[in-house]
Structures are given as C-alpha cells and as structure tokens.
Amino acid sequence: MGRGLAASALALLALTACGNDGRGSAAAQAADGPVERGRYLVAIMDCVGCHNKGAFSPKPENGFLQGSPVGFSLPNLGIFWPPNLTPHPDAGIGRWSEAEIVTALRTGMRPDGRQLAPVMPWKAYRNLSDADAQAIAAYLKTLPASPNRVPAPAQPETATAPYVAVTAPPSLTSN
Ligand code: HEC
C-alpha cells in the first residue's frame, strides 16, 4: 500500500512536470517535428564547422551551409571543398531527393556513384537512425537556396582555391 501511494505520487509529479513546461501537449509535439529535430542535429553534429561559407574565417557563422571556400587535402586522394548544402538546383543539392541525402550521409555515396572523401564524416554518421537521418534531410530542404559554388575536387596542381593540408616531417614518416 505504501508503495502504491509512492507510485501514484510519482505519476502525479510527472504529470505536473509535463503541464509546467508545456511538453506532452499535442501542440508542443507538433512544434518538435522532423524539421526542428533536423535543425538541432545539424547544429550539434557540426555540419556548419565545415560547410559554412565563413568556415576558417573570423566569422565562421557566415554563409550558413552555403559551402566553404577552404578545402581539405587528403594524402593520395585529393582536395575536397565542403559543398553548398542548400536546395539550389545547380550550386547546391536541390536536385537530390531526401532519400539520396540520407544515403550520402550514412554511406558517403552520392547519387552519381562517387564515394565522398572521408573528411566528410559519413563513417561516423553511418549509425544515424532512420528518423534522425531523414530529419536532417528534411531540414536541409527548408534552407534558402544559395547560388554559392565551391570548386570540384582537385589535385594540388589543379587547385583553384585555398585548402588546409597536414604535412608530416620526415621523422614521423620514416621507419
Ligand atoms: C569535417 C568537415 C565536415 C563535416 C563536419 C561535415 N561535412 Fe559534409 N562534407 C565535407 C566535405 C569536405 C565534403 C565533400 C567531400 C567530397 O567531395 O568527396 C562533404 C560532402 C557532403 C555532402 C555531399 C554534397 C555534394 O554535393 O556532394 C553532403 C550531403 C554533406 N556533406 C552533408 C553534411 C551534413 C548534413 C553534415 C552534418 C551532419 C556534414 N556534412 C558534416 C565536410 C564535412
């Protein structure tokens, strides 16, 4: 009987808590739909740290997900500039379906069959749940389309824009 009372008191507390912060109501749940979830995931998964136009500049928040002018060089693979993720049909990924975005996020496979370089952390994102991967894709589709273009992947001899590279001194690479 004592236990029953304690359990009811807990249930009451839980109900009161729900009422107090507005959660649990249908309206609050609707406001927390996939697009809001996607916005949250994009913020904490640091897409902006690479894909913003301002990445590596004094104003890294500028040009939200519009593609970075600074690429990453990977030994033996080439140089890769983080692309524009807004729904612009030519400069961005506006022609990709949400399913194609989900596949790229989790497997690194673009719709044209090219495997994204692993500097795009798809190996870390491969365990995203269906719901979370779809929420990110749905959110990207809501961004204002930007015409900003980034260079296609290149080699050092053909690079037309800045990039970051790590050069290891011989002492670290020789046996
Ligand atoms: C460490 C830097 C980095 C982070 C963090 C990052 N990306 Fe990328 N991403 C890249 C680079 C670089 C490429 C291009 C790779 C290539 O062309 O092979 C890329 C490619 C992509 C592509 C393919 C676009 C195209 O046009 O080919 C998508 C989609 C994408 N990223 C989405 C995301 C999302 C969404 C997040 C956050 C959940 C994210 N990325 C986080 C660096 C990053």
Side-chain angles (χ1 to χ4, degrees):
M1 161 152 180
R3 272 197 185 171
L5 265 183
S8 320
L10 271 179
L12 194 64
L13 265 180
L15 275 175
T16 317
C18 282
N20 280 347
D21 70 4
R23 302 230 162 225
S25 73
Q29 275 167 14
D32 286 355
V35 170
E36 282 311 306
R37 173 83 181 156
R39 185 196 310 274
Y40 163 77
L41 290 169
V42 160
I44 63 165
M45 289 166 70
D46 202 28
C47 319
V48 296
C50 293
H51 286 272
N52 276 13
K53 218 166 156 182
F56 295 103
S57 84
K59 297 214 165 164
E61 67 280 9
N62 280 1
F64 189 70
L65 298 181
Q66 293 174 9
S68 170
V70 182
F72 292 87
S73 166
L74 294 189
N76 305 323
L77 278 182
I79 303 160
F80 304 89
W81 284 266
N84 178 341
L85 298 183
T86 74
H88 192 282
D90 302 314
I93 52 173
R95 293 184 208 268
W96 296 25
S97 68
E98 292 189 20
E100 286 171 334
I101 297 174
V102 166
T103 300
L105 278 178
R106 292 203 294 209
T107 69
M109 193 56 74
R110 283 167 39 108
D112 66 3
R114 181 171 73 81
Q115 181 90 61
L116 293 168
V119 63
M120 162 61 196
W122 53 266
K123 290 186 181 178
Y125 298 159
R126 66 160 58 118
N127 292 322
L128 274 171
S129 69
D130 289 349
D132 282 350
Q134 280 156 15
I136 292 173
Y139 170 62
L140 293 179
K141 288 284 181 192
T142 69
L143 297 174
S146 158
N148 186 51
R149 288 180 185 276
V150 306
Q155 295 299 324
E157 327 54 85
T158 54
T160 54
Y163 58 89
V164 292
V166 174
T167 307
S171 59
L172 286 182
T173 50
S174 58
N175 292 326

